[in-house]
Amino acid sequence: MSDPATPKNMRPSENLDAIVVGAGFAGLYMLHRLRGIGLKAIILEQAAGVGGTWYWNRYPGARCDVESMQYSFSFSEELQQEWQWRERFAGQPEILRYANHVADRFDLRRDIHFETPVRAAHFDDATGRWRITTAGGEEFSARYCIMATGCLSTARLPDIPGRESFAGKTYHTGHWPHEGVDFTGQTVGVIGTGSSAIQAIPVIAEQVRQLFVFQRTANYSIPARNAPMAPDYEQAWKSAYAERRTKARMMRTGILYPLNDTSALAVDPATREREYQARWAAGGLGFMAAFNDLILDRRANDTAAEFVRAQIRAIVRDPKVAEILCPKDHPIGTKRICADTNYFATYNRDNVTLIDLHATPITAITSHGLDTTGARFTLDSIVFATGFDAMTGTLTRIDIRGTLGARLRDKWEAGPRSYLGLMTAGFPNLFLITGPGSPSVLSNMMVSIEQHVDWIADCLAFLQREGLSQIEPRSDAEEAWVAHGNEVADRTLYPAANSWYMGANIPGKPRVFMPYIGGVGVYREICDKVAAGGYADGFLLSAGPARAAAE
Ligand code: NAP
């Protein structure tokens, strides 16, 4: 790899208005909108194709936990009418096909540079332009730099001693081989029981000779009840798409499902049980909307958590295994709740063994497999379903420097700081799509992506109209936003869990609740108000050196 400081190729990019980093759904729509407002833009993407998270996460069973009719773009009526989803919850291959369809349909590929990982983004105070350097040593420059880098895009391998010594094959769910993996006849270990593992384990179990699941923290999971798309359901959505999308945008999570605006503690136990049973039977993450205080009140939360534990005990035949699978150390929903297909029932199979790492922690990975304090496991393959350096990991791995060379990774050392999750003070014209400080991972990502992309595009169009070329948040506005985010989070049960929302899965990462929990609808109104006020509330606007240089 060449030194990014000495680019081997200078690109003739002085006429670029914007560089977007990442060709997932955020980057694709951003490019489309930038073209629409007459800006010249490109995307730099490290993968060989579009799709972001759906390009990388090809593990068996990978599937979205938001319904297909809602986990899709709404910006084009023709697109949403013409595209036909095959399942209630689309699997990874179908979502990736959709991403490719969007790229082709809107002729986006001609402005995407694939296999072009970004290593550095430096703001040049003299010209007011961002200089972007790639791993291959190419250099690009543009007035605006837009990070569409995703929230869960830096895979995390655990620091288990001996990891490199394993003689068999290792896989991370977030970097699954494109050609797939045939585990037939193998003894396989899966480390982790988060959303990815919970989807992968039932599928892998059907293939292997023996599966060992190494669980540190038990997780709540609701059956997805996935099924082929019912034509009348699809039709009901398509005939009222505009209206339903509008409603979804104002929901707390950006997902339209029946919200029961009652406290779990205000109803008698039989009514409560009926409500939970109905939602368990319906499947999917709407379970958490059974009552309005499940993430606010521990006693209300306990009723939902106990209901799920009772389901686990009813499904899993061995009571000891069932007990290990019952989550007890965090309130339900405070770690990302999972949606599964046959997850708990998989532990009834003769070829699946659950290892409780709380009782017998892993001591080492060896050449032959894995040792815990209780036993030695001989494995052919190890699957790391161990998650991501979420929300900030991808951004802080890029050498991002703002005015006077200040580094983003230094600024965020004690936790990410942004204004509205969209921009960060000291980094003019740098936009973050679904950045920390915005609802992002707590929401339907498609809704949040569209909202951010539209806000950014409208902001850039405003700058053009007003003859301005530079925008950045005021430090006091940023401080107030961070304080507000913390204050709202502290009113919920979320900070009670050692979750990746809190950075707790990465040793040494500051414990800060990173997304904004105030709700997608409330948040949209705040952002819209700032835009309607000409960005005077919290932002500094100027003609900037970029304009001066261009004149
Ligand atoms: P994750 O939720 O962070 O889960 C990682 C798992 O690995 C946890 O069970 C964790 O245990 C375990 N782990 C990590 N380090 C370990 C170690 N050293 N020893 C033993 N166990 C270890 O990651 P993920 O499952 O990839 O999911 C990440 C997020 O991606 C999800 O929360 C969700 O937002 C998204 N996702 C969505 C879908 C979907 O749409 N259906 C599917 C997959 C992922 P601890 O809990 O004890 O740390």
Side-chain angles (χ1 to χ4, degrees):
M1 191 184 300
S2 52
D3 177 3
T6 53
K8 72 174 189 302
N9 273 332
M10 283 295 287
R11 286 267 174 164
S13 63
E14 287 309 310
N15 59 346
L16 277 181
D17 295 303
I19 291 172
V20 180
V21 184
F25 284 123
L28 293 178
Y29 181 41
M30 192 74 245
L31 177 59
H32 179 65
R33 282 295 323 261
L34 289 168
R35 283 185 187 165
I37 58 169
L39 295 187
K40 180 151 175 45
I42 58 165
I43 297 180
L44 303 178
E45 165 59 58
Q46 65 174 329
V50 300
T53 204
W54 301 104
Y55 176 92
W56 296 105
N57 286 267
R58 299 174 189 235
Y59 60 85
R63 186 175 295 288
C64 190
D65 57 8
V66 176
E67 287 192 14
S68 314
M69 296 310 295
Q70 306 204 49
Y71 190 84
S72 47
F73 280 126
S74 71
F75 70 84
S76 160
E77 181 60 16
E78 294 75 23
L79 171 65
Q80 68 179 2
Q81 290 298 337
E82 286 168 27
W83 182 265
Q84 285 191 298
W85 293 103
R86 289 174 40 226
E87 294 180 276
R88 177 183 179 194
F89 294 100
Q92 175 273 334
E94 190 178 11
I95 303 176
L96 189 58
R97 273 200 302 281
Y98 176 75
N100 277 286
H101 171 79
V102 170
D104 293 332
R105 185 177 185 121
F106 298 99
D107 187 24
L108 300 174
R109 285 183 208 279
R110 64 185 156 89
D111 285 323
I112 305 177
H113 298 242
F114 291 107
E115 298 180 279
T116 308
V118 168
R119 287 286 179 265
H122 293 178
F123 182 71
D124 184 331
D125 295 288
T127 62
R129 292 178 73 85
W130 281 90
R131 277 194 301 120
I132 314 288
T133 313
T134 72
E138 289 175 297
E139 192 169 285
F140 299 83
S141 100
R143 251 190 305 155
Y144 306 111
C145 176
I146 304 169
M147 294 297 182
T149 39
C151 296
L152 295 154
S153 42
T154 295
R156 157 93 188 139
L157 285 169
D159 306 320
I160 300 172
R163 206 185 68 215
E164 303 298 333
S165 66
F166 182 57
K169 290 263 171 74
T170 60
Y171 306 94
H172 189 288
T173 47
H175 279 284
W176 206 258
H178 287 199
E179 64 280 14
V181 181
D182 183 3
F183 289 118
T184 308
Q186 292 195 18
T187 299
V188 175
V190 173
I191 302 178
T193 49
S195 301
S196 303
I198 279 177
Q199 292 184 328
I201 284 166
V203 185
I204 295 176
E206 285 179 5
Q207 233 184 46
V208 297
R209 191 173 66 76
Q210 176 67 41
L211 179 65
F212 293 104
V213 177
F214 297 91
Q215 171 188 282
R216 191 163 65 184
T217 306
N219 235 321
Y220 298 94
S221 186
I222 309 298
R225 313 263 183 231
N226 186 36
M229 179 64 69
D232 52 343
Y233 187 72
E234 181 185 5
Q235 198 39 45
W237 267 91
K238 287 191 171 174
S239 62
Y241 237 146
E243 184 195 329
R244 290 189 181 194
R245 299 282 205 188
T246 304
K247 275 194 194 146
R249 288 183 196 119
M250 297 317 290
M251 301 285 287
R252 191 173 63 79
T253 57
I255 306 171
L256 199 58
Y257 41 48
L259 233 182
N260 183 8
D261 199 13
T262 312
S263 161
L265 304 174
V267 297
D268 61 70
T271 307
R272 209 158 47 214
E273 179 75 10
R274 267 200 307 281
E275 184 70 31
Y276 289 141
Q277 282 289 2
R279 290 185 185 250
W280 184 267
L285 304 187
F287 182 84
M288 287 304 290
F291 295 100
N292 65 8
D293 52 355
L294 295 185
I295 59 150
L296 299 174
D297 184 307
R298 186 64 197 246
R299 285 184 313 136
N301 187 286
D302 283 345
T303 65
E306 193 45 45
F307 174 86
V308 173
R309 286 191 287 265
Q311 306 311 305
I312 297 171
R313 291 179 185 121
I315 296 168
V316 179
R317 284 199 288 268
D318 182 333
K320 282 204 203 98
V321 176
E323 235 23 64
I324 299 169
L325 288 167
C326 280
K328 294 176 192 119
D329 69 347
H330 62 283
I332 185 168
T334 56
K335 281 187 161 197
R336 168 68 172 238
I337 195 163
C338 309
D340 71 276
T341 301
N342 296 330
Y343 175 63
F344 294 114
T346 295
Y347 293 93
N348 293 332
R349 294 177 66 103
D350 292 338
N351 70 337
V352 177
T353 307
L354 178 67
I355 316 299
D356 177 8
L357 296 181
H358 279 311
T360 55
I362 296 173
T363 50
I365 291 176
T366 62
S367 61
H368 66 273
L370 191 155
D371 290 352
T372 67
T373 54
R376 170 159 283 204
F377 298 89
T378 302
L379 305 170
D380 297 307
S381 298
I382 299 177
V383 174
F384 292 103
T386 44
F388 302 87
D389 187 349
M391 303 206 73
T392 54
T394 307
L395 292 169
T396 53
R397 273 170 184 75
I398 300 173
D399 176 16
I400 300 176
R401 300 189 201 178
T403 40
L404 302 172
R407 290 170 200 262
L408 185 71
R409 93 170 54 115
D410 294 339
K411 178 178 172 180
W412 283 8
E413 205 175 0
R417 304 176 67 75
S418 75
Y419 181 46
L420 303 175
L422 276 159
M423 298 193 82
T424 186
F427 296 78
N429 292 354
L430 176 75
F431 295 88
L432 313 172
I433 302 182
T434 64
S438 75
S440 63
V441 290
L442 298 174
S443 70
N444 177 354
M445 285 301 281
M446 292 301 247
V447 169
S448 288
I449 283 170
E450 283 194 295
Q451 185 237 338
H452 267 194
V453 168
D454 287 337
W455 191 95
I456 294 166
D458 292 348
C459 173
L460 299 189
F462 170 87
L463 296 182
Q464 276 181 293
R465 267 198 318 274
E466 300 296 319
L468 300 164
S469 60
Q470 204 159 297
I471 179 166
E472 73 170 294
R474 285 203 329 257
S475 297
D476 60 335
E478 181 168 289
E479 263 170 51
W481 182 251
V482 172
H484 169 64
N486 289 335
E487 191 246 325
V488 182
D490 287 341
R491 275 189 250 148
T492 74
L493 301 172
Y494 275 94
N498 287 321
S499 64
W500 58 256
Y501 298 136
M502 297 288 295
N505 63 329
I506 306 293
K509 194 164 171 173
R511 280 186 68 104
V512 177
F513 190 73
M514 295 184 284
Y516 177 66
I517 182 76
V520 163
V522 170
Y523 171 77
R524 175 184 294 271
E525 281 172 349
I526 296 170
C527 293
D528 286 353
K529 196 161 159 246
V530 170
Y535 308 90
D537 185 1
F539 286 103
L540 297 167
L541 300 162
S542 64
R547 183 161 181 252
E551 281 169 358

